[in-house]
Structures are given as structure tokens and as C-alpha cells.
Amino acid sequence: IAPYDGIDTDEIVRSADLALYASKGGGRGQFRFYSSDLHAQAERRRQIEEDLRDALAQDQIYLAYQPVVETKTNKVIALESLMRWEHPELGDISPSIFIPIAEEINLIGALGDWALKTACAAAAQWPGRVRVAVNVSPAQFGNPAFSSVVAQALATSELAPDRLELELTESIFLADDQSNDAMFAALKMLGVRLALDDFGTGYSSLGYLQKAPFDKVKIDQTFITGINEPGNRNAAIIKAIVGLAEGLGMETTAEGIEAHDELDAMRKLNVGSIQGYIY
């Protein structure tokens, strides 16, 4: 609204564009008025986008590891690698902020390949048979050369293939079925493990589990929250997921376990392993 949000045409159009962007980000059927906060947010996003292009080369990106614990024995059986960014000026930037930006500017492939190679190299130094889990973006999975990238990471690190677990989200099934099938076959030929992440929160279909050679199903935290509250139906959902996974020869992992009563509930429901705080 002139003159509050701008005096000339360029300023008004810029302000309206920022309001439109904020409205789209808020979901369907919404509107926004321009405010100075929107301009500040746009400037911050622009800075993040520009700095992200050099963050990897400047060693600002690193991996944190979250334990995956077997519910029956309390033993750590795997560690999930999680990408983190320590910005020299802005401090820690959440993956929920920089990962979508990396996808938009086509950097996710380079970041994902780096994470894969770095995680494999780290896991090769770990004792015993502890596995490492690495998140794979749809853009990576859709790259015909991805299986070669995985093979190179394994060869360079000398990590046993069955100690690498690739975590995929259901969004990969939006792509061409034939290319998916070919990539699944190539990855299984390498001997790596495959996990379906955030099961039940995206484009869920039992047909995916029927066709794709997953070794594990990960139960999203949304099904854990409030599981011990009276009238909560999440336990029934988890019980069904566990039964389905067992019937298909797959393991189960529950994400976001942050209390002992939640752990006890997972044990009663025969969930194979759990993840919680980052150490």
C-alpha cells in the first residue's frame, strides 16, 4: 500500500512480490500484507543462498551423528549422519532452512555426495559392525550416476556395503517407476541397505513396499508424540506398521524418542530400534 510500503513503482512491486511469496509459503487460501520483516527475511534468505554456495569449500558444513539403539538390548547398532551448517556470522543454520534452499539452487547433489563420502569414511573407522545411515534426496536418487557415486564412496573408504544404509523418503516415488526400479536394482547389487524414512507422512502407498526392496521402515515422530495419553490411537497405527514390516521381512525404527515411557511403549509394540537425542 503506497506510500507506506514504497513510493515508486519498483518499490511497490517489490513489496507486493514479497507479500505474495510469504502468502504462498503459508499454504493455500491465504493472503499477506507487506511488512518490513518480510524484507529482512528476504535479505537473510538471499545471504544464506549466496553463502551456501561456498560453505562446503570453506569447511562450514559438517556431519552430526544420531545413535540408533536396539530396543531389546540397548546397544547402538547404527548412527545416522545429519548435515549441519555453522555459519561464521549467523551461527547454526537449521537444515530445515538450508536444505530446501540447496534443493532450489541445485546444490543438494553436491552436498549429498559429500555427506555420503564423509559418512562412509567416518564409519570405516568405527569399531565392530556399527552401520552408518545417510539421507538421500530425490534429486540424488534420480541421478542415473548415483549408484556409481555410492560404489566409489564404498571403495574409497573400504566400508563393507552392508554397513551403509541409505534413507529414502516417499517423495522419490513421484518420479518414473522404471528409473526407480533400475536404481533400486543397482543399489541392491552393491549390497547396501535401504530404509524408507518418515513412513506414513507423505505419499504413502502399500504398493511402494510391495515393489521396492527396503530393509527397514522408519516410523515418523508424529506417530510417537502423545502415544501414552488416554485415547491416543498412535499405538494402534504403530502396531499395524510393525506387523506389516515383519510380514515383509523389514526392520522398524521409531524416530523422535525423548522419554522413557515412549521407549517402553516401543518395546511393548515390538519396534526393533529407536532414535532420539543427538549426541
Side-chain angles (χ1 to χ4, degrees):
I1 299 175
Y4 309 106
D5 303 330
I7 298 175
D8 59 31
T9 303
D10 290 340
E11 288 180 330
I12 292 295
V13 171
R14 183 204 66 191
S15 299
D17 194 46
L18 289 172
L20 176 62
Y21 184 83
S23 178
K24 288 181 176 179
R28 297 171 61 89
Q30 298 195 23
F31 66 90
R32 293 287 190 275
F33 284 98
Y34 171 80
S35 69
S36 58
D37 290 343
L38 296 182
H39 181 69
Q41 291 170 12
E43 286 297 310
R44 175 182 168 87
R45 188 194 184 284
R46 183 188 58 80
Q47 180 183 358
I48 290 174
E49 179 178 323
E50 291 180 355
D51 293 349
L52 183 57
R53 298 180 188 277
D54 300 321
L56 198 57
Q58 295 179 2
D59 294 326
Q60 297 171 11
I61 305 291
Y62 66 96
L63 295 180
Y65 294 92
Q66 186 178 53
V68 179
V69 179
E70 193 172 53
T71 52
K72 292 182 179 180
T73 64
N74 284 338
K75 291 183 178 179
V76 174
I77 58 175
L79 296 172
E80 179 180 353
S81 61
L82 301 168
M83 204 178 301
R84 296 292 183 263
W85 182 11
E86 177 68 30
H87 192 283
E89 298 176 8
L90 303 176
D92 288 326
I93 299 179
S94 170
S96 64
I97 294 176
F98 75 81
I99 293 296
I101 294 177
E103 291 174 342
E104 290 179 21
I105 62 177
N106 296 321
L107 272 182
I108 195 63
L111 288 174
D113 291 351
W114 169 84
L116 177 65
K117 295 172 183 177
T118 302
C120 286
Q125 307 302 316
W126 297 344
R129 299 290 300 169
V130 176
R131 299 192 300 265
V132 64
V134 180
N135 291 281
V136 177
S137 71
Q140 283 179 278
F141 189 79
N143 180 4
F146 178 61
S147 60
S148 298
V149 174
V150 175
Q152 184 180 17
L154 291 171
T156 303
S157 64
E158 299 183 349
L159 181 70
D162 62 348
R163 290 183 60 197
L164 173 61
E165 189 168 272
L166 303 178
E167 296 196 358
L168 311 167
T169 61
E170 293 166 341
S171 55
I172 65 170
F173 294 108
L174 292 176
D176 178 63
D177 284 345
Q178 291 185 348
S179 61
N180 280 349
D181 292 344
M183 184 56 67
F184 277 127
L187 293 174
K188 292 308 292 184
M189 189 174 294
L190 291 176
V192 300
R193 290 168 52 88
L194 302 176
L196 180 57
D197 199 9
D198 301 335
F199 179 70
T201 62
Y203 310 93
S204 299
S205 170
L206 297 183
Y208 300 156
L209 294 182
Q210 183 184 35
K211 295 191 306 179
F214 289 110
D215 300 285
K216 177 191 287 186
V217 172
K218 300 192 71 176
I219 303 169
D220 190 73
Q221 184 177 5
T222 55
F223 297 115
I224 310 301
T225 305
I227 192 169
N228 292 303
E229 296 176 359
N232 189 289
R233 297 189 288 184
N234 284 348
I237 295 175
I238 293 175
K239 183 178 180 180
I241 294 174
V242 171
L244 176 63
E246 289 179 347
L248 294 172
M250 302 176 186
E251 300 173 10
T252 50
T253 295
E255 300 179 283
I257 304 299
E258 299 179 349
H260 286 291
D261 61 341
E262 293 175 343
L263 173 59
D264 292 339
M266 295 305 103
R267 287 193 174 121
K268 292 177 182 177
L269 292 167
N270 293 320
V271 175
S273 57
I274 60 99
Q275 286 181 250
Y277 291 112
I278 296 177
Y279 296 94

